[in-house]
């Protein structure tokens, strides 16, 4: 335990008797949420991967709780991140699908967010890594050469060091607090969705020069030999090399943790791995036989190890709760020819589950989910259902912070389950969404899983096959206890269960909230 923390507890102890119950039970460990990008349930060795090793994530799991029913709330990035930070399902708000390069901030600054709650509890807060929640005002979007406001600092983060969109979307620059880092005013940054000039080199006009070819989309402006979604010019001094991103997240996180080691801190470590274009650092290229997709998982694992080492070095591992999760399920070909599919062999990225990124099958949202708090969490495996949307409500409860009635509308307090407490329950039901296409949901309750897919464009990706649009009935029912891969629709045999779940799903959507 940190000396400062120990002292604090000694000073506070005598006053405890006169405090309300929720403050009496407050605990304020540091919290690090490590969110991987596009990491599937079967993509790490402690969840069954056999073709490569993830020793650091495995260690985290062996020292903490490994959840078999850990979820993110959506099968794409922006809605999961939105609901993680707001504690409210993203489908309740328009404009929370995959954010474009010039998208404005998707979270309104007056929203009570997870970092707001942590600040209220006395924490220092930071987000380091992929953002992809937009920047700037509604109707205006990011003003790249000016102050990028509103952004993370306007919704509760004291510090941010960001990849502003995704690595496959322009521009390839870092944003530190309100500014593009190293931007030379003499070389302003322009970002748009149309070619700025006839002779602007793109992935189409200069395809033969690319170091990684595209397969669909991703044929706009070329940077670092890779063409991207969207177009940009300028900002040359500010541009990063894809190979260096992971090192940068670790470097900045270590600096920030070190600076705040004596106060409670909340760090959202938002890895870009293993989102496309998968370009791990040279030292990880070829680390596996499965190509850059799995090499990026090894790189992610290295990041986890570095963060754990930092906690050990600063002697704060016993004071730090780590939550490891993913933003959506896996995908093989997501727009670049990195041969993920050709080299996948027997590896099953979604483990036993069907579907992956973009899908409401289990593979879209059931992902690795691990909590570790040395000395506090008894190591084990939990089958309780927990979701990234619950982190806000759960941490509020842990830190004794009151949750305003009209905020975090779908965030359940599952702190007991997250800490692996015997008999503690996870959530009773979960609504799983895709990117936000109207009317596509998964609804899990106990071992039942109802799928409702109103949208004809539903993408039910079988991960190990190229993107495929399978036709599915509007409603399907599966018994996950017997059929985890959702292959036998039992809706005809269980019309009563299906009817009840249809109604409950509709009621939860209609009610605008699921937290009572
Ligand atoms: C899709 C992109 C995909 C990826 C995804 C967002 C195309 C054809 N596909 O539109 O490559 O960028 O958006 O991924 O452009 S996420 O993990 O950030 O949600
Ligand atoms: Ca993602």
């Amino acid at each position: 335990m940190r000396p400062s923390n120990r002292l604090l507890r000694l000073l506070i102890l005598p006053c405890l008797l006169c405090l309300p119950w929720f403050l009496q039970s407050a605990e304020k460990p540091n919290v690090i949420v490590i969110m991987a990008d596009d990491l599937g349930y079967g993509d790490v060795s402690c969840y069954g991967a056999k073709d490569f090793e993830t020793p650091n994530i495995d260690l985290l799991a062996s020292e903490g709780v490994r959840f078999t029913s850990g979820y993110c709330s959506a099968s794409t990035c922006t809605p999961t991140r939105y609901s993680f930070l707001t504690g409210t399902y993203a489908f309740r708000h328009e404009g929370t699908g995959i954010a474009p390069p010039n998208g404005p901030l998707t979270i309104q600054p007056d929203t009570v967010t997870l970092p707001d709650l942590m600040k209220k509890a006395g924490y220092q807060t930071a987000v380091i890594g992929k953002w992809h929640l937009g920047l700037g005002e509604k109707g205006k979007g990011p003003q790249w050469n000016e102050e990028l406001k509103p952004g993370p600092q306007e919704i509760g983060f004291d510090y941010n060091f960001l990849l502003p969109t995704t690595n496959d979307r322009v521009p390839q620059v870092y944003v530190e607090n309100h500014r593009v880092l190293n931007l030379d005013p003499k070389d302003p940054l322009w970002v748009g969705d149309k070619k700025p000039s006839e002779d602007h080199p793109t992935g189409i006009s200069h395809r033969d020069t690319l170091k990684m070819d595209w397969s669909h989309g991703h044929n706009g402006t070329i940077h670092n030999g890779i063409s991207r979604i969207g177009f940009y010019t300028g900002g040359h001094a500010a541009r990063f090399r894809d190979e260096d991103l992971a090192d940068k997240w670790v470097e900045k996180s270590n600096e920030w943790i070190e600076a705040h080691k004596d106060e409670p801190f909340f760090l959202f470590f938002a890895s870009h791995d293993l989102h496309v274009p998968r370009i791990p650092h040279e030292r990880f290229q070829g680390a596996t036989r499965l190509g850059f997709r799995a090499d990026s998982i090894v790189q992610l694992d290295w990041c986890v190890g570095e963060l754990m080492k930092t906690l050990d070095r600063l002697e704060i591992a016993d004071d730090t709760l780590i939550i490891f999760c993913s933003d959506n399920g896996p995908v093989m070909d997501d727009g670049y020819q990195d041969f993920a599919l050709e080299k996948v062999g027997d590896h099953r990225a979604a483990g036993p589950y069907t579907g992956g990124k973009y899908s409401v099958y289990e593979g879209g949202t059931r992902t690795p989910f691990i909590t570790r708090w040395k000395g506090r969490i008894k190591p084990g495996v939990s089958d309780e259902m927990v979701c990234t949307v619950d982190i806000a409500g759960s941490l509020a409860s842990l830190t004794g912070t009151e949750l305003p009635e009209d905020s975090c509308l779908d965030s359940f307090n599952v702190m007991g389950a997250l800490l692996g407490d015997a008999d503690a329950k996870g959530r009773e039901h979960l609504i799983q969404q895709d990117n936000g296409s109207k009317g596509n949901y998964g609804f899990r309750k106990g071992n039942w899983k109802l799928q409702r897919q109103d949208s004809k464009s539903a993408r039910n990706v079988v991960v190990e096959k190229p993107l495929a649009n399978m036709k599915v009935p509007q409603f399907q029912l599966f018994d996950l206890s017997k059929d985890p891969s959702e292959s036998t629709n039992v809706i005809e045999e269980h019309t009563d269960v299906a009817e009840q779940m249809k109604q409950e799903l509709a009621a939860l959507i209609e009610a605008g909230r699921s937290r009572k």
Side-chain angles (χ1 to χ4, degrees):
M1 191 189 293
R2 290 183 296 241
S4 55
N5 240 2
R6 205 178 300 136
L7 188 69
L8 206 69
R9 285 181 205 186
L10 276 176
L11 289 174
I12 286 173
L13 217 60
C15 317
L16 278 181
L17 285 176
C18 40
L19 289 176
W21 69 268
F22 62 87
L23 283 180
Q24 279 184 40
S25 55
E27 291 181 89
K28 299 199 176 168
N30 307 312
V31 179
I32 303 181
V33 175
I34 303 173
M35 188 176 276
D37 199 334
D38 299 1
L39 182 76
Y41 189 89
D43 268 332
V44 287
S45 11
C46 55
Y47 279 86
K50 296 216 165 28
D51 297 285
F52 52 88
E53 302 270 307
T54 51
N56 294 302
I57 298 169
D58 298 352
L59 179 63
L60 203 64
S62 71
E63 294 177 342
V65 185
R66 182 174 71 78
F67 288 88
T68 61
S69 282
Y71 289 84
C72 46
S73 49
S75 57
T76 59
C77 168
T78 305
T80 282
R81 285 159 207 263
Y82 177 91
S83 64
F84 159 60
L85 290 178
T86 62
T88 297
Y89 287 141
F91 65 76
R92 302 203 187 281
H93 289 270
E94 291 286 321
T96 53
I98 297 171
N102 270 334
L105 183 65
T106 48
I107 300 173
Q108 294 318 302
D110 58 358
T111 313
V112 174
T113 64
L114 167 58
D116 280 337
L117 294 166
M118 297 307 273
K119 276 189 75 62
K120 233 176 165 186
Y123 280 67
Q124 284 291 316
T125 57
V127 49
I128 295 175
K130 168 172 166 174
W131 181 239
H132 206 193
L133 284 163
L135 292 167
E137 284 168 33
K138 235 181 170 172
K140 263 175 110 182
Q143 306 299 302
W144 296 103
N145 302 288
E146 296 163 28
E147 281 207 304
L148 291 159
K149 262 179 164 176
Q153 290 193 315
E154 284 63 44
I155 61 151
F157 286 106
D158 295 309
Y159 176 73
N160 63 260
F161 190 93
L162 310 175
L163 161 64
T165 58
T166 57
N167 42 334
D168 63 347
R169 281 175 177 71
V170 296
Q172 276 60 52
V173 296
Y174 295 120
V175 168
E176 187 171 35
N177 295 328
H178 287 132
R179 291 278 176 186
V180 170
L181 187 71
N182 296 331
L183 185 65
D184 177 357
K186 291 198 247 23
D187 181 28
L189 188 55
W190 172 88
V191 176
D193 54 11
K194 293 211 171 59
K195 228 161 75 152
S197 61
E198 259 320 296
D199 59 353
H200 182 79
T202 67
I204 296 176
S205 66
H206 288 65
R207 196 165 184 175
D208 55 345
T209 68
L210 301 176
K211 76 175 176 195
M212 182 184 276
D213 202 356
W214 49 273
S215 55
H216 52 268
H218 304 92
N219 51 23
T221 294
I222 300 170
H223 169 66
N224 194 20
I226 302 156
S227 49
R228 318 278 170 155
I229 298 174
F231 301 91
Y232 70 122
T233 58
H236 288 87
R239 298 187 187 193
F240 58 63
R241 241 172 45 104
D242 304 75
E243 290 84 345
D244 299 327
L245 287 172
D247 283 338
K248 193 51 103 181
W249 309 144
V250 167
E251 176 199 320
K252 286 288 155 193
S253 297
N254 284 347
E255 272 174 30
W256 189 81
I257 292 172
E258 184 129 16
H260 298 284
K261 67 179 188 327
D262 293 327
E263 45 204 330
F265 64 77
F266 169 74
L267 170 64
F268 174 24
F269 182 91
S271 171
H272 73 296
D273 281 320
L274 38 157
H275 197 280
V276 296
R278 302 167 185 128
I279 309 284
H281 190 269
E282 285 82 351
R283 70 185 186 280
F284 294 110
Q285 296 184 7
T288 72
R289 281 177 284 111
L290 279 68
F292 282 1
R293 182 175 186 278
D295 295 350
S296 300
I297 299 177
V298 173
Q299 176 168 274
L300 166 73
D301 184 69
W302 172 82
C303 294
V304 172
E306 290 304 296
L307 294 177
M308 286 161 78
K309 268 195 224 162
T310 302
L311 300 182
D312 288 341
R313 178 170 58 80
L314 300 174
E315 297 181 10
I316 52 173
D318 286 358
D319 288 319
T320 306
L321 166 65
I322 298 181
I323 303 175
F324 177 85
C325 55
S326 176
D327 72 338
N328 53 252
V331 57
M332 292 290 131
D333 181 346
D334 207 16
Y336 290 97
Q337 297 185 38
D338 60 7
F339 309 109
L341 186 62
E342 291 79 352
K343 294 184 178 181
V344 75
D346 292 334
H347 176 67
R348 286 291 166 267
Y353 303 112
T354 296
K357 187 169 180 176
Y358 311 112
S359 152
V360 297
Y361 278 84
E362 288 291 290
T365 51
R366 202 192 293 207
T367 44
F369 200 115
I370 299 165
T371 53
R372 186 197 79 164
W373 180 359
K374 274 183 161 179
R376 175 71 170 81
I377 285 181
K378 194 162 143 250
V381 175
S382 170
D383 296 330
E384 291 303 320
M385 183 154 55
V386 295
C387 177
T388 48
V389 73
D390 297 323
I391 294 174
S394 302
L395 288 179
S397 143
L398 181 74
T399 58
T401 311
E402 228 175 330
L403 213 52
E405 172 64 21
D406 57 351
S407 64
C408 299
L409 302 175
D410 300 293
S411 192
F412 295 158
N413 174 12
V414 292
M415 201 64 226
L418 292 176
L419 295 176
D421 290 350
D423 305 327
K425 292 280 166 231
R427 49 167 51 236
E428 274 174 26
H429 53 70
L430 175 72
I431 302 180
Q432 304 150 289
Q433 71 161 91
D434 62 3
N435 189 43
S437 49
K438 287 266 171 279
N440 287 358
Y441 302 100
F443 182 44
R444 182 174 165 194
K445 195 168 182 197
N447 280 320
W448 291 111
K449 165 79 178 273
L450 179 80
Q451 284 185 16
R452 169 178 147 188
Q453 306 211 51
D454 297 357
S455 165
K456 289 201 184 75
S457 65
R459 273 213 252 169
N460 299 300
V461 183
V462 179
V463 177
E464 280 80 18
K465 288 186 197 150
L467 296 182
N469 288 327
M470 302 186 322
K471 279 223 167 86
V472 290
Q474 186 190 14
F475 288 103
Q476 299 192 86
L477 183 72
F478 302 96
D479 179 352
L480 296 177
S481 67
K482 300 192 188 109
D483 179 26
S485 66
E486 294 162 282
S487 34
T488 310
N489 178 11
V490 293
I491 200 157
E492 298 298 333
E493 292 87 320
H494 298 279
T495 43
D496 49 341
V497 176
E499 213 38 60
Q500 207 190 334
M501 285 185 75
K502 278 184 202 175
Q503 282 176 22
E504 198 171 341
L505 172 63
L508 286 169
I509 295 169
E510 179 66 28
R513 65 185 297 154
S514 53
R515 181 167 74 84
K516 295 208 171 82

